[in-house]
Amino acid sequence: MPPGRVYGVAPMWSGLRERELGAPPWRYAASVRRMRSHALELCKTKDVISSGRGAVNSLQIDPVEARYMLAGNGNGSISVYDISQPTTVEHYSQKHEALFSIDKAHRYSVSSVRWYPVDTGIFISGSFDKHINVWDANTLEVLMQFKMPGKVFGVSMSPVSTTHMLIATGTEDYRIRLCDISSGAFTHTLSAHRDAVWAVKWSASSEWILISGGCDGAIRLWDIRRAGCFYVLDQHRSSASQEAKTSKDATPGRVHPGLTSALDRSTAHYGTVTSLQTSRDGHYLLSAEHNVPGSDSRVKLWDIERGCNTLVNYEATNINGNLTCELEVSGDKPLVFVPCLTSIQVYDMLSGRLLSTLKGHYELVKCCAYHSQSQELYSGSNDRRILVWSPEQSVSEDEALGTIAAQVQADEDNWSD
């Protein structure tokens, strides 16, 4: 049995013993979360009943309550699921049906969906129909619509913003546009990429820093308060090569907007950058490229503070597909979840070691969403299914489902109009 697949009595008692000897409670909680994250397998007791008739292209769990999951589908529909409260419980199996579905949310495939970071009453969707819609989750009506110059590949909102309500967009156009929900207008146009922008991601540590990746293989960092891109990641600029040059003023945030010609032409990948994901603390950035002729189909880890390639080797990645894929990162001692063809590969983020391969989908996996509270992973695929991956359950957890079933029954009995 592979290491990390079983979290049993011995590790638990070991942690409790350390707690008795004075170890802080957060350390014990973190060790349990790590142990559970390393023991993911296809969940036998929880099913998400996908309501879409197309591929599941994008997933996100709301950052406010960590209860509602948003799904964007290939047939232009959008669904929302309550992943905490099951719809029904039968024979120790929880079934989660969609709370609601918008069948014709877009004319064409929905490529990206995102919750408004501070309120589950609003969510955003981007589509191949060249539109970005801002939705009211209560009335299921479009509050605002932005017409883009081409297919929308990705949308992003800052998780730490307190002063702006901007949606960053990546489209077929080489320019990045920032849409303001408060005014309904385009506030910024960021130009530097030489081809379509497939991935956009706001920094997890600063509301002003935006990261973008495009078909030109470049990953650019922007400070939206200043003109122009202030840094371009270079795959040949590694931690080792920077060791002798590191100084207080050498961080990307201190580079002058007037980039040198050599730096401005730097590339992070040899082909299209299809995915960007930051670590929870914002210190690291993960980027990926899908497997097409002439590309490296690699996942790379970047040290954002120093602006360099860490050279961590993620073995045997094979990302395929003609759309962006969505990587995911866990919390404590981070794990990276990478969609690789019909499976999901789980890596240790800092070492690149392959820990496990999650197999269950029949077609290309497009997206992942990690639930940090329950240490569950949700994945969407071209096979139109949403699978749940949970820590290997103990007997006590199975017995607890009986209590959940009783609670669901009680809720149904007490429901009234």
Side-chain angles (χ1 to χ4, degrees):
M1 186 171 289
R5 293 296 297 168
V6 176
Y7 62 98
V9 177
M12 292 290 188
W13 280 116
S14 175
L16 288 174
R17 180 59 177 166
E18 292 180 3
R19 182 78 182 92
E20 290 176 352
L21 294 175
W26 60 264
R27 182 178 297 172
Y28 175 64
S31 67
V32 172
R33 287 195 296 268
R34 280 198 304 273
M35 200 158 32
R36 287 170 57 84
S37 297
H38 281 256
L40 292 179
E41 62 178 16
L42 187 60
C43 187
K44 303 180 181 65
T45 59
K46 189 173 185 178
D47 291 323
V48 176
I49 311 301
S50 178
S51 60
R53 293 185 296 276
V56 182
N57 292 331
S58 182
L59 293 173
Q60 191 192 26
I61 298 171
D62 80 271
V64 181
E65 302 178 58
R67 175 175 178 178
Y68 302 106
M69 183 170 68
L70 193 59
N73 304 310
N75 65 339
S77 66
I78 299 173
S79 305
V80 172
Y81 304 87
D82 185 339
I83 56 176
S84 295
Q85 185 68 30
T87 309
T88 58
V89 178
E90 299 177 355
H91 304 293
Y92 298 104
S93 177
Q94 305 178 44
K95 296 188 181 301
H96 297 256
E97 299 178 359
L99 291 178
F100 62 81
S101 292
I102 307 173
D103 289 336
K104 296 181 179 179
H106 288 274
R107 291 181 60 193
Y108 303 130
S109 176
V110 177
S111 57
S112 183
V113 287
R114 291 294 179 265
W115 287 105
Y116 182 53
V118 296
D119 185 0
T120 55
I122 298 175
F123 61 89
I124 297 96
S125 62
S127 168
F128 277 16
D129 64 7
K130 305 181 182 180
H131 287 91
I132 292 174
N133 291 345
V134 180
W135 298 87
D136 185 324
N138 298 306
T139 63
L140 305 185
E141 295 179 351
V142 178
L143 299 174
M144 201 172 296
Q145 187 175 78
F146 297 93
K147 178 71 167 67
M148 308 306 290
K151 294 178 181 178
V152 178
F153 294 120
V155 298
S156 179
M157 293 196 74
S158 173
V160 295
S161 175
T162 58
T163 59
H164 68 73
M165 302 170 63
L166 298 177
I167 306 170
T169 63
T171 69
E172 283 183 311
D173 190 30
Y174 66 92
R175 290 165 293 193
I176 301 166
R177 288 173 172 79
L178 302 186
C179 314
D180 189 1
I181 294 181
S182 60
S183 66
F186 297 105
T187 61
H188 299 64
T189 299
L190 310 177
S191 302
H193 283 283
R194 295 182 292 277
D195 208 334
V197 179
W198 277 44
V200 285
K201 186 72 177 179
W202 288 94
S203 166
S205 57
S206 172
E207 64 181 301
W208 308 111
I209 304 301
L210 178 67
I211 308 167
S212 63
C215 287
D216 55 4
I219 296 177
R220 296 179 176 268
L221 278 68
W222 312 79
D223 185 333
I224 63 171
R225 298 168 297 181
R226 294 155 51 175
C229 156
F230 72 82
Y231 202 78
V232 184
L233 296 179
D234 185 351
Q235 59 187 313
H236 304 297
R237 188 184 181 94
S238 66
S239 302
S241 65
Q242 283 297 101
E243 196 66 36
K245 301 178 183 180
T246 302
S247 66
K248 185 178 180 180
D249 293 329
T251 60
R254 296 178 181 270
V255 174
H256 192 274
L259 297 174
T260 65
S261 177
L263 180 58
D264 190 49
R265 293 178 184 149
S266 300
T267 58
H269 290 268
Y270 292 112
T272 301
V273 179
T274 61
S275 182
L276 296 172
Q277 183 61 265
T278 59
S279 60
R280 302 291 167 131
D281 58 13
H283 293 163
Y284 293 97
L285 172 73
L286 287 147
S287 63
E289 173 188 16
H290 66 65
N291 185 16
V292 294
S295 73
D296 54 2
S297 185
R298 297 289 297 274
V299 174
K300 294 181 179 178
L301 180 68
W302 305 87
D303 184 332
I304 293 298
E305 295 297 320
R306 301 172 65 187
C308 55
N309 185 358
T310 64
L311 299 181
V312 172
N313 179 30
Y314 297 96
E315 304 173 7
T317 54
N318 191 4
I319 302 168
N320 209 336
N322 56 0
L323 282 175
T324 58
C325 72
E326 295 182 359
L327 307 180
E328 187 58 294
V329 178
S330 69
D332 304 302
K333 288 197 175 177
L335 302 179
V336 183
F337 303 98
V338 183
C340 293
L341 299 180
T342 60
S343 64
I344 303 162
Q345 292 182 330
V346 184
Y347 297 91
D348 180 274
M349 189 183 82
L350 298 179
S351 70
R353 183 166 61 95
L354 178 62
L355 301 176
S356 62
T357 300
L358 307 179
K359 297 181 179 180
H361 286 287
Y362 298 113
E363 295 185 31
L364 295 178
V365 181
K366 306 297 285 294
C367 52
C368 298
Y370 182 76
H371 194 286
S372 58
Q373 295 180 6
S374 63
Q375 293 80 56
E376 290 178 331
L377 181 72
Y378 296 80
S379 60
S381 166
N382 278 354
D383 61 14
R384 308 177 185 180
R385 297 192 302 162
I386 298 175
L387 296 185
V388 186
W389 310 87
S390 63
E392 186 178 3
Q393 289 190 326
S394 64
V395 176
S396 60
E397 289 175 309
D398 286 333
E399 292 175 347
L401 288 175
T403 304
I404 295 176
Q407 182 62 47
V408 171
Q409 183 63 42
D411 290 343
E412 292 176 350
D413 294 341
N414 294 329
W415 180 262
S416 63
D417 295 327

